[in-house]
């Protein structure tokens, strides 16, 4: 980066910081990390390791937004969220819905067999739902406490049969009202 480019960035840094501060707290760290990685011309680091975990339990994956294509289903996610009143369920139940959505309801380009912390946070953000305090704990609790998810290393979770039954019941119940 030359002096001219540096001056341009520095001239806009306050506006950038103000905009990023309006994002949910867990997303701010990711945005700042992406910005630094981009400005320093760092290559995509791919999968993160446990040593890269932050205080909040989020990983430092700088690419979760760029590699995700779930945003193509933004309108569908928002539609399910409002139509089925998913704002009334807890975070573990929403994690089960997210796993169901990506495995059953998502478009072909966004369909996946499992979710991880980054995808869960993205779906929270898309729905406008308050971010969980610790996404990994939310997924682990949905697996251990409710048995809605199955751990698929490394750090991925797929929907269990109990989770599928819960979500189908939730969607059916909400459709009937």
């Amino acid at each position: 980066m030359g002096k001219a480019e540096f001056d341009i960035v520095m001239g806009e840094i306050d506006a950038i910081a103000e905009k990023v501060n309006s994002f949910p707290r867990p997303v701010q760290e990711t945005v700042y990390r992406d910005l630094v990685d981009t400005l320093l011309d760092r290559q995509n680091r791919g999968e993160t390791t446990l040593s890269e975990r932050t205080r909040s339990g989020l990983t430092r994956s700088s690419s979760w937004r760029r590699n995700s294509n779930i945003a193509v289903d933004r309108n569908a996610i928002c539609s399910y969220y409002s139509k089925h009143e998913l704002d009334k369920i807890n975070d573990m139940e929403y994690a089960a819905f997210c796993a169901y959505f990506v495995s059953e309801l998502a478009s072909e380009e966004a369909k996946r067999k499992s979710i991880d912390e980054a995808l869960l946070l993205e779906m929270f953000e898309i729905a406008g739902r308050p971010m969980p305090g610790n996404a990994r704990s939310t997924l682990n609790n949905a697996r251990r406490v409710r048995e809605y998810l199955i751990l698929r290393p490394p750090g991925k979770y797929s929907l269990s049969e109990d989770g599928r039954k819960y979500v189908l019941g939730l969607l059916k119940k909400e459709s009937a009202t």
Side-chain angles (χ1 to χ4, degrees):
M1 173 185 312
K3 181 169 176 20
E5 291 88 358
F6 178 80
D7 289 341
I8 291 170
V9 171
M10 292 312 294
E12 298 295 324
I13 201 72
D14 290 335
I16 293 167
E18 185 177 325
K19 181 67 176 174
V20 173
N21 285 336
S22 69
F23 297 160
R25 186 83 177 140
V27 176
Q28 290 176 17
E29 184 176 340
T30 302
V31 171
Y32 282 125
R33 188 164 288 101
D34 284 348
L35 179 62
V36 169
D37 287 347
T38 300
L39 291 175
L40 296 178
D41 215 13
R42 293 180 186 159
Q43 294 297 320
N44 181 358
R45 292 177 286 187
E47 292 297 317
T48 59
T49 64
L50 288 176
S51 64
E52 293 178 303
R53 292 179 51 74
T54 65
R55 285 177 269 114
S56 65
L58 299 174
T59 60
R60 292 182 175 186
S61 173
S62 63
S63 60
W64 70 271
R65 279 181 173 281
R66 286 188 296 247
N67 289 342
S68 174
N69 53 1
I70 194 66
V72 300
D73 289 336
R74 178 178 294 276
N75 289 338
I77 294 166
C78 291
S79 175
Y80 273 95
Y81 194 80
S82 61
K83 179 181 177 185
H84 298 286
E85 299 179 341
L86 300 181
D87 59 325
K88 295 180 180 174
I89 62 176
N90 67 42
D91 290 348
M92 290 182 287
E93 294 165 341
Y94 187 65
F97 167 78
C98 293
Y100 180 83
F101 184 89
V102 299
S103 65
E104 303 291 328
L105 303 173
S107 63
E108 285 305 313
E109 60 200 279
K111 203 167 266 196
R112 303 167 182 220
K113 294 178 182 178
S114 61
I115 63 172
D116 58 12
E117 292 174 75
L119 185 58
L120 180 67
L121 289 173
E122 186 175 4
M123 291 188 71
F124 267 77
E125 183 181 7
I126 288 170
R129 186 178 179 96
M131 295 289 182
N134 186 318
R136 178 163 300 199
S137 290
T138 299
L139 291 166
N140 276 327
N141 289 338
R143 176 183 62 87
R144 285 190 349 249
V145 176
R146 298 292 180 100
E147 299 180 347
Y148 291 153
L149 302 175
I150 300 167
L151 181 61
R152 303 283 187 212
K156 303 216 183 265
Y157 298 80
S158 61
L159 193 64
S160 70
E161 192 54 40
D162 286 347
R164 183 177 313 287
K165 288 176 186 174
Y166 166 75
V167 174
L168 287 173
L170 175 70
L171 296 180
K172 185 177 181 181
K173 178 183 91 173
E174 294 298 328
S175 295
T177 58

